[in-house]
Amino acid sequence: QVQLVESGGGLVQPGGSLLLSCAASIDVFSLAPMAWYRQAPGEQRELVASIAHNSNTYYIDSVKGRFTISRDNAKSTVFLQMNSLKAEDTAVYYCQRLPPLPYWGRGTQVTVSL
């Protein structure tokens, strides 16, 4: 059964940190590249970061140096450490396999605000 379960979101002040986790079913995770996407209100969903099975990573420019994606292949889990958070990072965050499956998890809400 396809499963993507995101957790770890919350309300944080600007400059704060959050660690997001995503538990994926083995058939989703396997040897596939994994990614974090986000969708802000009124915006399209965008790719934030990705990680290959060999741990090669990619980040969009706006999060480079602040976010770190990692994976635990033994536990079929992918993480997103987010530091120095900004108001513009506010969004629902989703994990996904690459290329994306037609199935999306519920995501986890990240709100950066005073």
Side-chain angles (χ1 to χ4, degrees), residues 38-110:
R38 68 186 178 187
Q39 187 168 20
E43 301 290 332
Q44 289 193 339
R45 192 171 294 171
E46 67 172 346
L47 175 66
V48 175
S50 65
I51 184 167
H53 184 261
N54 64 2
S55 295
N56 286 342
T57 57
Y58 162 82
Y59 300 93
I60 57 173
D61 287 345
S62 61
V63 307
K64 282 181 181 177
R66 300 189 299 121
F67 290 10
T68 303
I69 189 171
S70 61
R71 62 191 290 162
D72 184 335
N73 292 331
K75 296 182 178 180
S76 299
T77 303
V78 62
F79 304 96
L80 187 67
Q81 177 66 48
M82 305 188 297
N83 298 327
S84 302
L85 282 161
K86 305 176 180 180
E88 51 263 43
D89 296 318
T90 294
V92 179
Y93 284 71
Y94 303 87
C95 70
Q96 182 55 275
R97 196 180 74 174
L98 292 178
L101 297 167
Y103 167 86
W104 291 80
R106 294 185 175 183
T108 186
Q109 175 70 49
V110 172

Coordinates of all heavy atoms in Angstrom, one line a residue, residues 38-110:
R38 N 6.6 22.0 -1.4 CA 5.8 22.8 -0.5 C 4.8 23.6 -1.3 O 5.0 23.9 -2.5 CB 6.7 23.8 0.3 CG 7.4 24.9 -0.5 CD 8.3 25.7 0.5 NE 9.0 26.7 -0.3 CZ 10.0 27.4 0.3 NH1 10.4 27.3 1.5 NH2 10.6 28.4 -0.4
Q39 N 3.7 23.9 -0.7 CA 2.7 24.7 -1.3 C 2.2 25.8 -0.4 O 1.6 25.5 0.7 CB 1.5 23.8 -1.8 CG 0.5 24.6 -2.6 CD -0.5 23.6 -3.3 OE1 -0.6 22.5 -2.9 NE2 -1.1 24.1 -4.4
A40 N 2.4 27.0 -0.8 CA 1.9 28.2 0.0 C 0.5 28.5 -0.4 O 0.1 28.2 -1.6 CB 2.9 29.3 -0.2
P41 N -0.2 29.2 0.4 CA -1.6 29.6 0.0 C -1.6 30.4 -1.3 O -0.9 31.3 -1.5 CB -2.1 30.4 1.2 CG -1.3 30.0 2.3 CD 0.1 29.6 1.8
G42 N -2.5 29.9 -2.2 CA -2.6 30.6 -3.5 C -1.4 30.4 -4.5 O -1.4 31.0 -5.5
E43 N -0.5 29.5 -4.1 CA 0.6 29.3 -5.0 C 0.6 27.8 -5.5 O 0.0 27.0 -4.9 CB 1.9 29.5 -4.2 CG 2.1 30.9 -3.6 CD 2.3 32.0 -4.7 OE1 2.9 31.6 -5.8 OE2 1.9 33.1 -4.5
Q44 N 1.4 27.6 -6.5 CA 1.6 26.2 -7.0 C 2.6 25.5 -6.1 O 3.4 26.1 -5.5 CB 2.1 26.2 -8.4 CG 1.0 26.7 -9.4 CD 1.4 26.4 -10.9 OE1 2.6 26.2 -11.1 NE2 0.5 26.4 -11.8
R45 N 2.4 24.2 -6.1 CA 3.3 23.3 -5.3 C 4.7 23.4 -6.0 O 4.8 23.4 -7.2 CB 2.8 21.9 -5.3 CG 3.5 21.0 -4.4 CD 2.8 19.7 -4.3 NE 1.4 19.8 -3.7 CZ 0.5 18.8 -3.7 NH1 0.8 17.7 -4.3 NH2 -0.6 19.0 -3.2
E46 N 5.8 23.6 -5.2 CA 7.1 23.6 -5.8 C 8.0 22.7 -5.1 O 7.9 22.3 -3.9 CB 7.7 25.1 -5.6 CG 7.9 25.5 -4.2 CD 8.7 26.8 -4.1 OE1 9.2 27.3 -5.1 OE2 8.7 27.4 -2.9
L47 N 9.0 22.2 -5.9 CA 10.0 21.3 -5.3 C 11.0 22.1 -4.5 O 11.5 23.2 -5.0 CB 10.8 20.6 -6.5 CG 12.0 19.8 -6.1 CD1 11.5 18.5 -5.4 CD2 12.7 19.3 -7.4
V48 N 11.3 21.7 -3.3 CA 12.2 22.4 -2.4 C 13.6 21.8 -2.4 O 14.6 22.4 -2.5 CB 11.6 22.4 -1.0 CG1 12.6 23.1 0.0 CG2 10.3 23.2 -1.0
A49 N 13.6 20.4 -2.3 CA 14.9 19.7 -2.1 C 14.7 18.3 -2.5 O 13.6 17.8 -2.4 CB 15.4 19.8 -0.7
S50 N 15.7 17.7 -3.0 CA 15.6 16.2 -3.4 C 16.9 15.5 -2.9 O 18.0 16.2 -2.8 CB 15.4 16.0 -4.8 OG 16.5 16.5 -5.6
I51 N 16.8 14.2 -2.8 CA 18.0 13.4 -2.4 C 17.9 12.1 -3.1 O 16.9 11.4 -3.1 CB 18.0 13.3 -0.9 CG1 19.3 12.5 -0.5 CG2 16.8 12.6 -0.3 CD1 19.6 12.6 1.0
A52 N 19.0 11.7 -3.7 CA 19.1 10.4 -4.4 C 19.4 9.3 -3.4 O 19.7 9.6 -2.3 CB 20.2 10.5 -5.5
H53 N 19.3 8.1 -3.9 CA 19.6 7.0 -3.0 C 21.0 7.0 -2.5 O 21.3 6.6 -1.3 CB 19.3 5.7 -3.7 CG 19.5 4.5 -2.8 ND1 20.7 3.7 -2.8 CD2 18.7 3.9 -1.9 CE1 20.5 2.7 -1.9 NE2 19.4 2.8 -1.4
N54 N 21.9 7.6 -3.3 CA 23.3 7.7 -2.8 C 23.6 9.0 -2.1 O 24.8 9.3 -1.8 CB 24.3 7.6 -4.1 CG 24.1 8.8 -5.0 OD1 23.3 9.7 -4.8 ND2 24.8 8.8 -6.1
S55 N 22.5 9.7 -1.7 CA 22.6 10.9 -0.9 C 23.0 12.1 -1.6 O 23.3 13.1 -1.0 CB 23.4 10.7 0.4 OG 22.8 9.7 1.2
N56 N 23.2 12.1 -2.9 CA 23.4 13.3 -3.7 C 22.1 14.2 -3.5 O 21.0 13.7 -3.6 CB 23.6 13.1 -5.2 CG 25.0 12.5 -5.4 OD1 25.9 12.6 -4.6 ND2 25.2 11.9 -6.6
T57 N 22.3 15.5 -3.3 CA 21.2 16.4 -3.0 C 21.1 17.5 -3.9 O 22.0 17.9 -4.6 CB 21.4 17.0 -1.6 OG1 22.6 17.7 -1.5 CG2 21.3 15.9 -0.5
Y58 N 19.9 18.1 -4.0 CA 19.6 19.3 -4.7 C 18.7 20.2 -3.9 O 17.8 19.7 -3.2 CB 18.8 18.9 -6.0 CG 18.1 20.1 -6.7 CD1 18.8 21.0 -7.5 CD2 16.8 20.3 -6.4 CE1 18.1 22.0 -8.1 CE2 16.1 21.4 -7.0 CZ 16.8 22.2 -7.8 OH 16.2 23.3 -8.4
Y59 N 18.9 21.5 -4.0 CA 18.1 22.5 -3.3 C 17.7 23.7 -4.2 O 18.5 24.1 -5.1 CB 18.8 23.1 -2.1 CG 19.3 22.1 -1.1 CD1 20.5 21.5 -1.1 CD2 18.4 21.7 0.0 CE1 20.9 20.5 -0.2 CE2 18.8 20.7 0.9 CZ 20.0 20.2 0.8 OH 20.4 19.2 1.8
I60 N 16.6 24.2 -4.0 CA 16.3 25.5 -4.7 C 17.1 26.6 -4.1 O 17.5 26.5 -2.9 CB 14.8 25.8 -4.7 CG1 14.2 25.9 -3.3 CG2 14.0 24.8 -5.5 CD1 12.8 26.4 -3.2
D61 N 17.3 27.6 -4.8 CA 18.2 28.7 -4.3 C 17.7 29.3 -3.0 O 18.6 29.6 -2.2 CB 18.4 29.8 -5.4 CG 19.2 29.3 -6.6 OD1 19.9 28.3 -6.4 OD2 19.2 30.0 -7.6
S62 N 16.4 29.4 -2.9 CA 15.9 30.2 -1.7 C 16.1 29.4 -0.4 O 16.0 30.1 0.7 CB 14.5 30.5 -1.9 OG 13.7 29.3 -2.0
V63 N 16.5 28.2 -0.4 CA 16.7 27.4 0.8 C 18.1 26.9 1.0 O 18.4 26.4 2.0 CB 15.7 26.2 0.9 CG1 14.3 26.7 0.7 CG2 16.1 25.1 0.0
K64 N 18.9 27.1 0.0 CA 20.3 26.7 0.1 C 21.0 27.3 1.3 O 20.9 28.5 1.6 CB 21.1 27.1 -1.2 CG 20.9 26.2 -2.3 CD 21.7 26.6 -3.5 CE 21.4 25.7 -4.7 NZ 22.1 26.1 -5.9
G65 N 21.7 26.5 2.1 CA 22.4 27.0 3.3 C 21.5 27.0 4.5 O 22.0 27.2 5.6
R66 N 20.2 26.8 4.3 CA 19.3 26.9 5.5 C 18.6 25.5 5.7 O 18.4 25.1 6.8 CB 18.2 27.9 5.3 CG 18.7 29.3 5.1 CD 17.6 30.4 5.1 NE 16.7 30.2 4.0 CZ 15.4 30.0 4.2 NH1 14.9 29.9 5.4 NH2 14.6 29.8 3.1
F67 N 18.3 24.8 4.6 CA 17.6 23.5 4.7 C 18.6 22.4 4.4 O 19.5 22.6 3.5 CB 16.5 23.4 3.7 CG 15.3 24.3 4.0 CD1 15.3 25.3 5.0 CD2 14.1 24.2 3.3 CE1 14.3 26.1 5.3 CE2 13.0 25.0 3.6 CZ 13.1 25.9 4.6
T68 N 18.4 21.3 5.0 CA 19.2 20.1 4.8 C 18.3 18.9 4.6 O 17.5 18.6 5.6 CB 20.2 19.8 5.9 OG1 21.1 20.9 6.0 CG2 21.1 18.6 5.5
I69 N 18.3 18.2 3.5 CA 17.5 17.0 3.3 C 18.4 15.8 3.5 O 19.6 15.8 3.2 CB 17.0 16.9 1.8 CG1 16.0 15.8 1.7 CG2 18.1 16.9 0.8 CD1 15.2 15.8 0.4
S70 N 17.9 14.8 4.2 CA 18.6 13.5 4.4 C 17.7 12.4 4.4 O 16.4 12.5 4.4 CB 19.3 13.6 5.8 OG 18.4 13.8 6.8
R71 N 18.2 11.2 4.4 CA 17.3 10.0 4.3 C 18.0 8.8 5.1 O 19.2 8.7 5.2 CB 17.1 9.5 2.9 CG 18.3 9.1 2.1 CD 18.0 9.0 0.6 NE 17.2 7.8 0.3 CZ 16.5 7.7 -0.8 NH1 16.6 8.6 -1.8 NH2 15.8 6.6 -1.0
D72 N 17.1 8.0 5.6 CA 17.5 6.8 6.3 C 16.9 5.6 5.5 O 15.7 5.3 5.6 CB 17.0 6.8 7.8 CG 17.4 5.6 8.6 OD1 17.8 4.5 8.0 OD2 17.4 5.7 9.8
N73 N 17.8 5.0 4.7 CA 17.3 4.0 3.8 C 16.8 2.8 4.6 O 15.9 2.1 4.1 CB 18.4 3.6 2.8 CG 18.7 4.7 1.8 OD1 17.8 5.5 1.5 ND2 19.9 4.8 1.4
A74 N 17.4 2.5 5.7 CA 16.9 1.3 6.5 C 15.5 1.5 7.0 O 14.8 0.5 7.3 CB 17.9 1.1 7.6
K75 N 15.2 2.7 7.3 CA 13.8 3.0 7.9 C 12.9 3.6 6.9 O 11.8 4.0 7.3 CB 14.0 3.9 9.1 CG 14.8 3.3 10.2 CD 14.9 4.2 11.4 CE 15.7 3.6 12.5 NZ 15.8 4.5 13.7
S76 N 13.2 3.7 5.6 CA 12.4 4.3 4.6 C 11.8 5.7 5.0 O 10.6 5.9 4.9 CB 11.2 3.4 4.3 OG 11.7 2.1 3.8
T77 N 12.7 6.5 5.5 CA 12.3 7.8 6.0 C 13.2 8.9 5.4 O 14.4 8.7 5.2 CB 12.5 7.8 7.6 OG1 11.7 6.8 8.1 CG2 12.0 9.1 8.1
V78 N 12.6 10.0 5.1 CA 13.3 11.1 4.6 C 13.1 12.3 5.5 O 12.0 12.4 6.1 CB 12.9 11.4 3.2 CG1 11.5 11.8 3.0 CG2 13.8 12.5 2.6
F79 N 14.1 13.2 5.7 CA 14.0 14.3 6.7 C 14.3 15.6 6.0 O 14.9 15.6 4.9 CB 15.0 14.1 7.8 CG 14.9 12.8 8.5 CD1 15.7 11.7 8.2 CD2 14.0 12.7 9.6 CE1 15.6 10.5 8.8 CE2 14.0 11.5 10.3 CZ 14.7 10.4 9.9
L80 N 13.8 16.7 6.6 CA 14.1 18.0 6.1 C 14.4 18.9 7.3 O 13.5 19.2 8.1 CB 13.0 18.6 5.3 CG 13.4 20.0 4.6 CD1 14.5 19.8 3.6 CD2 12.2 20.6 4.0
Q81 N 15.7 19.2 7.6 CA 16.0 20.1 8.7 C 16.0 21.5 8.1 O 16.7 21.8 7.2 CB 17.4 19.7 9.2 CG 17.9 20.7 10.2 CD 17.2 20.6 11.5 OE1 16.9 19.5 12.0 NE2 16.7 21.7 12.1
M82 N 15.1 22.3 8.8 CA 14.9 23.7 8.3 C 15.4 24.6 9.4 O 14.9 24.6 10.5 CB 13.5 23.9 8.0 CG 12.9 22.9 7.0 SD 11.2 23.3 6.5 CE 10.3 23.2 8.0
N83 N 16.4 25.4 9.0 CA 17.0 26.4 10.0 C 16.8 27.8 9.4 O 16.5 28.0 8.2 CB 18.5 26.1 10.2 CG 18.7 24.8 10.8 OD1 18.0 24.3 11.6 ND2 19.9 24.2 10.5
S84 N 17.0 28.8 10.3 CA 16.8 30.2 9.9 C 15.6 30.4 9.1 O 15.6 31.0 8.0 CB 18.1 30.6 9.0 OG 19.3 30.4 9.8
L85 N 14.5 29.9 9.6 CA 13.2 30.0 8.9 C 12.7 31.4 8.7 O 13.0 32.3 9.5 CB 12.1 29.2 9.6 CG 12.3 27.7 9.4 CD1 11.5 26.9 10.4 CD2 11.8 27.3 8.0
K86 N 12.1 31.7 7.5 CA 11.6 33.0 7.1 C 10.1 32.9 6.9 O 9.5 31.8 6.7 CB 12.2 33.4 5.9 CG 13.8 33.5 5.9 CD 14.3 33.9 4.5 CE 15.9 33.9 4.6 NZ 16.4 34.3 3.3
A87 N 9.4 34.0 7.0 CA 8.0 34.0 6.8 C 7.6 33.4 5.4 O 6.6 32.7 5.3 CB 7.5 35.5 6.8
E88 N 8.4 33.6 4.4 CA 8.2 33.1 3.1 C 8.3 31.5 3.0 O 8.0 31.0 2.0 CB 9.0 33.7 2.0 CG 10.5 33.8 2.3 CD 10.9 35.1 3.0 OE1 10.2 35.6 3.8 OE2 12.0 35.6 2.6
D89 N 8.8 30.9 4.1 CA 8.8 29.4 4.1 C 7.5 28.9 4.5 O 7.3 27.6 4.5 CB 9.9 29.0 5.1 CG 11.3 29.4 4.6 OD1 11.6 29.2 3.4 OD2 12.1 29.8 5.5
T90 N 6.6 29.7 4.9 CA 5.2 29.2 5.4 C 4.5 28.5 4.2 O 4.4 29.1 3.1 CB 4.4 30.4 5.9 OG1 5.0 31.0 7.0 CG2 3.0 30.0 6.2
A91 N 4.1 27.3 4.5 CA 3.5 26.4 3.5 C 3.2 25.1 4.1 O 3.6 24.8 5.2 CB 4.5 26.2 2.3
V92 N 2.4 24.3 3.3 CA 2.3 22.9 3.6 C 3.4 22.1 2.9 O 3.6 22.3 1.7 CB 0.9 22.4 3.2 CG1 0.8 20.9 3.5 CG2 -0.2 23.2 3.9
Y93 N 4.1 21.3 3.6 CA 5.2 20.6 3.1 C 4.8 19.1 2.9 O 4.2 18.5 3.7 CB 6.4 20.7 4.0 CG 7.1 22.0 4.0 CD1 6.5 23.2 4.5 CD2 8.4 22.2 3.4 CE1 7.1 24.4 4.4 CE2 9.0 23.4 3.3 CZ 8.4 24.5 3.8 OH 9.0 25.7 3.7
Y94 N 5.2 18.6 1.7 CA 4.9 17.2 1.3 C 6.2 16.5 0.9 O 7.1 17.1 0.3 CB 4.0 17.2 0.1 CG 2.7 18.0 0.2 CD1 2.6 19.3 0.0 CD2 1.5 17.3 0.6 CE1 1.4 20.0 0.1 CE2 0.3 17.9 0.7 CZ 0.3 19.3 0.5 OH -0.9 20.0 0.6
C95 N 6.3 15.2 1.2 CA 7.4 14.5 0.7 C 6.8 13.6 -0.5 O 5.6 13.4 -0.6 CB 8.0 13.6 1.7 SG 7.0 12.2 2.3
Q96 N 7.7 13.2 -1.4 CA 7.3 12.6 -2.6 C 8.5 11.8 -3.2 O 9.6 12.2 -2.9 CB 6.7 13.6 -3.6 CG 6.2 13.1 -4.9 CD 5.1 12.0 -4.7 OE1 5.4 10.8 -4.5 NE2 3.8 12.4 -4.7
R97 N 8.1 10.8 -3.9 CA 9.2 10.1 -4.7 C 9.4 10.9 -6.0 O 8.5 11.6 -6.4 CB 8.7 8.7 -5.0 CG 9.8 7.8 -5.4 CD 9.3 6.4 -5.7 NE 8.6 6.3 -6.9 CZ 8.2 5.2 -7.5 NH1 8.3 4.0 -6.8 NH2 7.5 5.2 -8.6
L98 N 10.5 10.7 -6.6 CA 10.8 11.3 -7.9 C 11.0 10.2 -8.9 O 11.7 9.2 -8.7 CB 12.0 12.2 -7.9 CG 11.9 13.4 -7.1 CD1 13.2 14.2 -7.1 CD2 10.8 14.3 -7.5
P99 N 10.3 10.2 -10.1 CA 9.3 11.2 -10.4 C 8.0 11.0 -9.5 O 7.8 10.0 -9.0 CB 9.0 10.9 -11.9 CG 9.3 9.5 -12.1 CD 10.5 9.2 -11.2
P100 N 7.3 12.1 -9.4 CA 6.1 12.1 -8.4 C 5.1 11.0 -8.7 O 4.8 10.7 -9.9 CB 5.5 13.5 -8.5 CG 6.6 14.3 -9.1 CD 7.4 13.4 -10.0
L101 N 4.6 10.4 -7.7 CA 3.5 9.5 -7.8 C 2.2 10.2 -8.0 O 2.1 11.4 -7.6 CB 3.4 8.6 -6.6 CG 4.6 7.7 -6.3 CD1 4.5 7.1 -4.9 CD2 4.7 6.6 -7.3
P102 N 1.1 9.6 -8.4 CA -0.2 10.3 -8.5 C -0.8 10.5 -7.1 O -1.8 11.2 -6.9 CB -1.0 9.4 -9.3 CG -0.4 8.1 -9.3 CD 1.1 8.3 -9.1
Y103 N -0.2 9.8 -6.1 CA -0.7 9.9 -4.7 C 0.2 10.8 -3.9 O 1.4 10.8 -4.0 CB -0.6 8.5 -4.1 CG -0.8 8.5 -2.6 CD1 -2.1 8.4 -2.0 CD2 0.3 8.5 -1.7 CE1 -2.2 8.4 -0.6 CE2 0.2 8.5 -0.4 CZ -1.1 8.5 0.2 OH -1.3 8.5 1.5
W104 N -0.5 11.7 -3.1 CA 0.2 12.6 -2.2 C -0.3 12.4 -0.8 O -1.4 12.1 -0.6 CB 0.0 14.1 -2.6 CG 0.6 14.5 -3.9 CD1 0.2 14.2 -5.2 CD2 1.9 15.2 -4.1 NE1 1.0 14.7 -6.1 CE2 2.1 15.3 -5.5 CE3 2.8 15.7 -3.2 CZ2 3.2 15.9 -6.0 CZ3 3.9 16.3 -3.7 CH2 4.1 16.4 -5.1
G105 N 0.6 12.6 0.2 CA 0.2 12.5 1.6 C -0.5 13.8 2.0 O -0.8 14.6 1.1
R106 N -0.9 13.9 3.2 CA -1.6 15.0 3.7 C -0.7 16.3 3.9 O -1.2 17.4 4.0 CB -2.3 14.7 5.0 CG -3.4 13.7 4.9 CD -4.1 13.5 6.2 NE -5.3 12.6 6.1 CZ -6.1 12.3 7.1 NH1 -5.9 12.8 8.3 NH2 -7.1 11.5 6.9
G107 N 0.6 16.0 4.0 CA 1.5 17.1 4.2 C 1.5 17.5 5.7 O 0.8 17.0 6.5
T108 N 2.4 18.5 6.0 CA 2.5 19.0 7.3 C 2.7 20.5 7.2 O 3.5 21.0 6.4 CB 3.7 18.4 8.1 OG1 3.7 18.8 9.5 CG2 5.0 18.6 7.5
Q109 N 1.9 21.2 8.0 CA 1.8 22.7 7.9 C 3.0 23.3 8.7 O 3.3 23.0 9.8 CB 0.5 23.2 8.5 CG 0.5 24.7 8.6 CD 0.3 25.4 7.3 OE1 -0.5 25.0 6.5 NE2 1.1 26.4 7.0
V110 N 3.7 24.2 8.0 CA 4.8 25.0 8.6 C 4.4 26.4 8.5 O 4.1 27.0 7.4 CB 6.1 24.8 7.9 CG1 7.2 25.8 8.4 CG2 6.6 23.3 8.0

